[in-house]
Amino acid sequence: MEREPPWRASESNGEKTGGERSASARMEDGFSSYSSLYDTSSLLQFCNDDSASAASSMEVTDRIASLEQRVQMQEDEIQLLKSALADVVRRLNISEEQQAMLSRKGPTKARPMIAALPLRPTVNNGNVLPKKSGTLPSPSGSKKDINSPATKSVSSLSSSSRFLLRSPYSTVKRTSSSEQVGPTSRKDSGGDAKSNRTRTGSTGSNSSGKRASESKQREPVFSAGMRRVTHCKDEGYVKMYLKGRPITMYMPKELVDTYCLEAKADLPAKKLKLDWVYGYRGRDCRSNLYLLPTGETVYFIASVVVLYNVDEQLQRHYTGHTDDIKCLAVHPDKITIATGQVAGTSSDGKQLAPHVRVWDSVSLNTLHVLGTGFFDRALVCLSFSKSNGGSWLCVVDDSNDHVLSVWDWQREERLAEVKCSNESVFATDFHPTDANIIVTCGKSHLYFWSLEKGSLVKKQGLFEKQEKPKFVLCVTFSENGDAITGDSSGNILVWGKGSNRISLAIQGAHESSVFALCMLRNGTLVSGGKDRKLISWDGNYQRIQMVEVPELYGPIRTVAEGKGETVLIGTTKNYVLQGSLDGDFTPITQGHTDELWGLAVHPLKHQFLSCGHDKLVCLWDSDAHQPVWTKTLEDAAQSAGFHPSGATVAIGTQTGRWLVLDTETKDLVTVHTDGNEQLSVMRFAPDGNFLAIGSHDNYIYIYAVAENGKKYSRVGKCSGHSSFITHLDWSVDSQYLVSNSGDYEILYWIPSVCKQVVSVETTRDIPWASFTCTLGFHVFGLWPDGSDGTDINAVCRSNEKRLLATGDDFGKVHLFSFPCSQSRAPSHVYSGHSSHVTNVNFLLDDSHLVSTGGKDMSVMQWRVV
């Protein structure tokens, strides 16, 4: 149940007693009621807990996670204490003034003082939970009231900070819809104008030019968890609070008289439809590539299952999952498909359970959802039975015991379950002629299971004279029912039907691990391995032929039978190859292999460029859905930006080095280094004469550009931010630059001389060529309730200036109307990514939006409809 804020309690109490109590006594009650909110002893106990020390029995990863959580909590506590201290000093000053006034006027029947005090915004929204980790300790117990004047300020400080820690979603209940807040003069809000870190016109400033008691101004307020918005009509600005920090955003002069904070924004007239998914998850998943009778190749990446018809160059998508898909199985009818996903977290912090979805590959309708609440962590492998019409499904989850369960999937009933192994499990499969026999394999084990009267009985595979491999990596069956396994020693072993003993061993079939086995319709066995070799074997397990996949594509992760004589190969470098046993492989799908951040759209063609921590730069043709070229760099890439001519593209890396490539030839044009930290933004001016580079070292480096982006000379660096640069935008005339930083500042610059612009009158009416900054008057409505300031990673306005797209930390792409300058603006929401969406960008004609997923390594192309 939501606790009533203390000042409400004081207010109602004051109404009951009327003038019977003095204002100072009521004020004491107000402050003391704060102190009952939170007892820091539980927090101290948490911080002094020794479970993360070297002597602890916790796993190293758990200890590290625990330490990270504590550090985050302590940082937040310090921030809150600072805010609370400023709040207390302000309150004491106001109370002294009001007490002096009361002593002159004598007793009155005014409402309680504590209710009359202007409330500092951080009391409402300063609380921050550690991002994506555990919750803070709950309040326990209350403090005694301390009445000595000397300790009152200390008491109120701790009680204020306790209240700040109370709840991230507490909102101030008010009798009126306005709040009294002191107007911040432009001169004073900037701090010292002579300082080289001037922040006049900045949003991160906490200073106020006048005391609140002098203010006659009333500002409409929206209270939204940690994000609260106020509107000052006289000055023409909106102030939003993120993580307790005030962000002042001035509106254009033409809107000052007509703007209304309470007005409702409209949903955009356009919507998005998933058009194409680039990438494949072969790096850490197995048996996830099949050909359907429809001619579609089915595989997955992120939380999307892709059905790709190579001949017709069409993709369809199953989007029923909410997080990373880890395994896939095709029913014997070749129509029904089962896919399993990991546990996830929704945008409101709720846990999403791992589960299996059984769906129809023709209609893309979900038929059944299995195991919600039963499976733990994730699903690692699954398989349909073959001999009983495919009515059973066996599944292994990623719990500590890797529980094997058998389901009647049509009835959604669990028939049996058993602890499979406390080591990793890589594959499971039903026997082709006996549905009561299941094989599982993994680290240090091969088990044959028999389903008898509702329980699974285990027989361990006996290696006897054969050296036991560290990993049994894959399993399939021959036509006569023999089980065939591939292992980390490079051996292929045949196990006689119904037996747990080896009947035949192909020693050294591959030079290293055998990752994949596939039995073709004609009885030929195909094996693929870490050595990149694809080998075919006849019915007597004699080698027929061998081909090697080029090193560019990486080791073979999975093999599937294709059309006619062809085979499909998935590799650990996330390629899907189509080819024959004679060789000649062509990639039909490819993608990145590490976290993906960089995205830039070609200014003149239907092309875009992606780059990531895998050091790969890829220029894509958005019509053909194929790469134009790829290039591997020496450093992990972080950001990218095209020159307005389209002739060159600049790539920023994680090491402070940046390079320029020729867009046509992918040749290196130039290399420069600025600082030694990651370069988060590469942004050319609209006229092509300047390049602005936003770095994690808090500076913006400015270069003069000549010869269509071929020649660069450094102008200087813009210094003024106190945190790393996150986003940059140029003005239409290329004369001004606006920047956002990690501590939610908005600063303005004249880049040609690297000087900060502190005049609000100058900056408020500047027309901007792009809107990629996540903070600003035209975009603040995109921030959802309860945001901590880092939830929105990327923003992009459409070229025709009617749409605004965002990518967030919860794997969602949002589409808003532009401008988005009303609090809680509505949006269309789209799923597909299973990781934080790191970037979004409209193509030059706004026909499509492109989004990149961070750790899911996918690129998604959405049609604007």
Side-chain angles (χ1 to χ4, degrees):
M1 194 174 79
E2 189 175 314
R3 186 196 293 255
E4 189 176 42
W7 52 87
R8 293 289 288 183
S10 306
E11 199 167 331
S12 57
N13 192 27
E15 283 161 6
K16 285 178 193 172
T17 58
E20 293 174 15
R21 304 171 66 209
S22 71
S24 60
R26 288 195 295 270
M27 189 162 182
E28 266 180 33
D29 285 352
F31 277 128
S32 64
S33 62
Y34 267 149
S35 58
S36 66
L37 278 170
Y38 195 82
D39 183 357
T40 52
S41 60
S42 56
L43 182 62
L44 289 169
Q45 183 181 358
F46 180 84
C47 293
N48 293 330
D49 176 21
D50 197 39
S51 61
S53 70
S56 166
S57 60
M58 290 169 66
E59 292 289 329
V60 174
T61 51
D62 293 336
R63 298 213 307 265
I64 290 170
S66 177
L67 285 168
E68 285 176 346
Q69 184 175 341
R70 292 182 196 180
V71 169
Q72 180 67 53
M73 287 177 67
Q74 288 164 358
E75 285 178 358
D76 292 339
E77 174 76 348
I78 290 166
Q79 179 68 30
L80 301 179
L81 287 171
K82 285 180 183 176
S83 300
L85 180 59
D87 191 41
V88 168
V89 172
R90 188 175 57 82
R91 285 167 179 272
L92 286 172
N93 288 337
I94 293 167
S95 67
E96 285 168 7
E97 288 177 15
Q98 293 184 342
Q99 291 236 26
M101 287 170 62
L102 285 171
S103 62
R104 287 200 300 272
K105 292 181 180 178
T108 63
K109 208 171 181 181
R111 68 193 181 112
M113 278 300 165
I114 188 69
L117 287 173
L119 295 166
R120 186 168 179 80
T122 46
V123 174
N124 180 30
N125 55 47
N127 177 34
V128 183
L129 288 173
K131 191 171 178 189
K132 301 198 175 50
S133 60
T135 53
L136 292 172
S138 58
S140 53
S142 59
K143 296 271 185 187
K144 282 186 180 178
D145 292 341
I146 301 170
N147 295 319
S148 84
T151 57
K152 207 174 286 183
S153 63
V154 178
S155 168
S156 58
L157 165 62
S158 59
S159 59
S160 297
S161 63
R162 284 178 206 129
F163 178 62
L164 287 163
L165 285 165
R166 174 71 184 97
S167 162
Y169 304 118
S170 55
T171 55
V172 181
K173 293 189 174 98
R174 284 182 175 73
T175 49
S176 71
S177 64
S178 57
E179 173 205 41
Q180 194 166 346
V181 178
T184 306
S185 72
R186 285 193 297 276
K187 180 182 171 186
D188 292 334
S189 69
D192 182 3
K194 293 175 184 174
S195 164
N196 71 331
R197 289 188 179 269
T198 309
R199 284 184 195 79
T200 313
S202 151
T203 63
S205 169
N206 277 316
S207 57
S208 177
K210 299 180 183 178
R211 287 180 181 165
S213 58
E214 298 170 19
S215 170
K216 302 294 181 194
Q217 210 167 280
R218 300 186 72 79
E219 301 178 352
V221 59
F222 272 149
S223 193
M226 283 185 276
R227 183 188 65 85
R228 196 182 57 166
V229 182
T230 60
H231 172 211
C232 172
K233 190 161 186 176
D234 293 348
E235 294 284 330
Y237 67 75
V238 168
K239 188 181 286 186
M240 177 173 72
Y241 297 86
L242 281 178
K243 214 171 178 178
R245 306 248 347 206
I247 302 161
T248 305
M249 296 164 286
Y250 286 87
M251 63 189 73
K253 280 182 187 172
E254 63 186 35
L255 296 178
V256 170
D257 294 332
T258 58
Y259 177 77
C260 176
L261 183 63
E262 292 89 347
K264 293 293 180 191
D266 295 324
L267 275 167
K270 302 280 183 79
K271 293 186 177 181
L272 300 179
K273 185 176 188 330
L274 187 57
D275 179 53
W276 204 268
V277 178
Y278 301 84
Y280 158 73
R281 186 166 183 165
R283 188 176 55 103
D284 60 349
C285 291
R286 304 155 195 277
S287 304
N288 61 350
L289 181 65
Y290 298 94
L291 180 72
L292 302 179
T294 56
E296 293 171 309
T297 302
V298 59
Y299 55 90
F300 58 75
I301 183 170
S303 64
V304 178
V305 185
V306 180
L307 299 99
Y308 178 20
N309 189 313
V310 180
D311 295 337
E312 296 179 19
Q313 280 296 296
L314 291 173
Q315 276 190 1
R316 295 189 301 137
H317 309 99
Y318 175 73
T319 55
H321 285 280
T322 56
D323 215 307
D324 282 299
I325 303 169
K326 292 296 291 286
C327 50
L328 182 151
V330 178
H331 191 274
D333 67 11
K334 302 293 185 187
I335 294 171
T336 309
I337 294 177
T339 41
Q341 75 162 64
V342 304
T345 307
S346 66
S347 56
D348 55 2
K350 291 179 182 173
Q351 288 295 307
L352 302 173
H355 60 269
V356 173
R357 303 181 84 84
V358 182
W359 48 280
D360 185 301
S361 64
V362 176
S363 66
L364 300 181
N365 290 331
T366 302
L367 305 175
H368 301 281
V369 179
L370 309 178
T372 304
F374 172 75
F375 299 123
D376 194 16
R377 292 184 190 159
L379 287 310
V380 291
C381 49
L382 41 73
S383 179
F384 283 102
S385 58
K386 320 290 191 290
S387 60
N388 60 357
S391 57
W392 293 353
L393 182 72
C394 65
V395 188
V396 179
D397 73 7
D398 199 26
S399 61
N400 290 341
D401 295 319
H402 294 92
V403 173
L404 167 67
S405 53
V406 180
W407 300 75
D408 183 328
W409 59 268
Q410 286 158 310
R411 295 181 180 176
E412 299 184 12
E413 288 180 8
R414 190 167 67 253
L415 304 178
E417 64 185 86
V418 69
K419 293 178 180 179
C420 181
S421 170
N422 57 8
E423 300 283 9
S424 300
V425 179
F426 297 138
T428 182
D429 204 359
F430 279 96
H431 193 280
T433 59
D434 187 349
N436 291 307
I437 297 177
I438 298 168
V439 180
T440 63
C441 64
K443 185 178 180 182
S444 306
H445 81 266
L446 173 69
Y447 296 144
F448 297 88
W449 304 88
S450 299
L451 183 59
E452 300 171 5
K453 298 177 183 176
S455 62
L456 287 158
V457 181
K458 176 174 70 177
K459 278 199 302 184
Q460 190 161 335
L462 302 176
F463 288 88
E464 297 175 323
K465 296 175 185 177
Q466 183 75 27
E467 183 184 348
K468 187 175 182 181
K470 189 173 182 182
F471 298 97
V472 180
L473 297 164
C474 51
V475 61
T476 188
F477 289 92
S478 66
E479 290 175 312
N480 66 0
D482 290 348
I484 308 166
T485 61
D487 60 45
S488 55
S489 301
N491 303 328
I492 295 175
L493 306 178
V494 182
W495 308 76
K497 182 184 177 183
S499 165
N500 61 338
R501 296 175 184 270
I502 298 167
S503 61
L504 179 71
I506 309 174
Q507 299 280 9
H510 285 262
E511 292 169 18
S512 54
S513 298
V514 181
F515 281 155
L517 291 169
C518 175
M519 184 62 72
L520 304 183
R521 287 184 294 269
N522 62 11
T524 302
L525 176 69
V526 180
S527 61
K530 190 177 181 180
D531 57 6
R532 305 197 318 279
K533 286 176 178 153
L534 190 72
I535 305 176
S536 52
W537 311 84
D538 65 17
N540 298 315
Y541 303 103
Q542 298 299 309
R543 191 162 84 179
I544 302 171
Q545 62 191 124
M546 177 187 76
V547 293
E548 191 170 322
V549 170
E551 189 176 356
L552 167 69
Y553 303 138
I556 297 167
R557 175 63 84 194
T558 188
V559 179
E561 189 164 14
K563 285 183 184 174
E565 300 292 312
T566 64
V567 289
L568 296 168
I569 298 170
T571 76
T572 61
K573 287 191 177 179
N574 294 347
Y575 281 86
V576 176
L577 307 174
Q578 193 172 28
S580 69
L581 296 173
D582 301 322
D584 191 26
F585 300 102
T586 55
I588 60 171
T589 296
Q590 66 186 80
H592 288 269
T593 56
D594 205 343
E595 196 164 344
L596 188 55
W597 280 88
L599 176 67
V601 167
H602 197 291
L604 306 174
K605 299 179 182 177
H606 280 204
Q607 294 179 353
F608 62 89
L609 181 138
S610 62
C611 57
H613 296 179
D614 56 0
K615 305 179 184 179
L616 184 71
V617 179
C618 191
L619 180 68
W620 302 90
D621 184 319
S622 64
D623 294 333
H625 308 118
Q626 292 295 330
V628 179
W629 53 255
T630 60
K631 187 180 182 79
T632 303
L633 309 180
E634 292 178 20
D635 302 311
Q638 185 71 27
S639 55
F642 276 94
H643 187 269
S645 68
T648 57
V649 62
I651 314 286
T653 71
Q654 288 198 298
T655 62
R657 178 154 50 171
W658 59 275
L659 48 144
V660 179
L661 302 178
D662 186 295
T663 311
E664 294 298 321
T665 64
K666 71 176 178 181
D667 291 340
L668 185 64
V669 174
T670 185
V671 182
H672 294 266
T673 301
D674 287 294
N676 56 7
E677 297 193 46
Q678 80 174 30
L679 305 177
S680 302
V681 203
M682 308 293 289
R683 187 85 62 217
F684 282 96
D687 64 7
N689 293 330
F690 289 99
L691 170 65
I693 303 167
S695 171
H696 249 52
D697 63 9
N698 304 0
Y699 296 120
I700 303 167
Y701 297 93
I702 306 294
Y703 279 78
V705 183
E707 298 176 15
N708 263 3
K710 300 285 177 75
K711 192 175 179 183
Y712 295 81
S713 54
R714 183 162 155 177
V715 175
K717 64 182 180 183
C718 299
S719 167
H721 276 292
S722 50
S723 185
F724 55 89
I725 312 303
T726 57
H727 304 88
L728 297 171
D729 284 305
W730 285 89
S731 63
V732 171
D733 62 7
S734 302
Q735 299 300 306
Y736 295 97
L737 192 66
V738 61
S739 55
N740 288 176
S741 62
D743 58 353
Y744 325 128
E745 280 187 318
I746 308 173
L747 298 187
Y748 300 87
W749 312 88
I750 301 175
S752 57
V753 290
C754 297
K755 294 293 183 187
Q756 187 180 335
V757 184
V758 295
S759 164
V760 171
E761 297 310 312
T762 303
T763 58
R764 72 192 313 161
D765 287 315
I766 295 173
W768 299 103
S770 60
F771 279 88
T772 63
C773 287
T774 57
L775 300 172
F777 174 75
H778 290 86
V779 300
F780 80 85
L782 59 84
W783 289 91
D785 293 358
S787 293
D788 76 346
T790 64
D791 292 338
I792 308 295
N793 299 310
V795 175
C796 184
R797 183 194 66 183
S798 63
N799 297 295
E800 43 91 44
K801 305 179 182 178
R802 292 184 184 172
L803 301 173
L804 190 74
T806 70
D808 67 22
D809 270 357
F810 310 104
K812 299 289 188 287
V813 173
H814 292 252
L815 192 67
F816 295 86
S817 293
F818 181 86
C820 188
S821 48
Q822 303 298 148
S823 196
R824 299 175 187 163
S827 65
H828 299 304
V829 187
Y830 302 95
S831 302
H833 290 288
S834 58
S835 173
H836 46 294
V837 181
T838 53
N839 224 321
V840 290
N841 225 321
F842 286 95
L843 293 185
L844 76 151
D845 60 356
D846 293 334
S847 60
H848 292 83
L849 177 80
V850 181
S851 60
T852 56
K855 287 192 161 67
D856 70 28
M857 297 168 281
S858 67
V859 179
M860 297 192 186
Q861 185 173 310
W862 309 79
R863 188 184 300 114
V864 180
V865 293

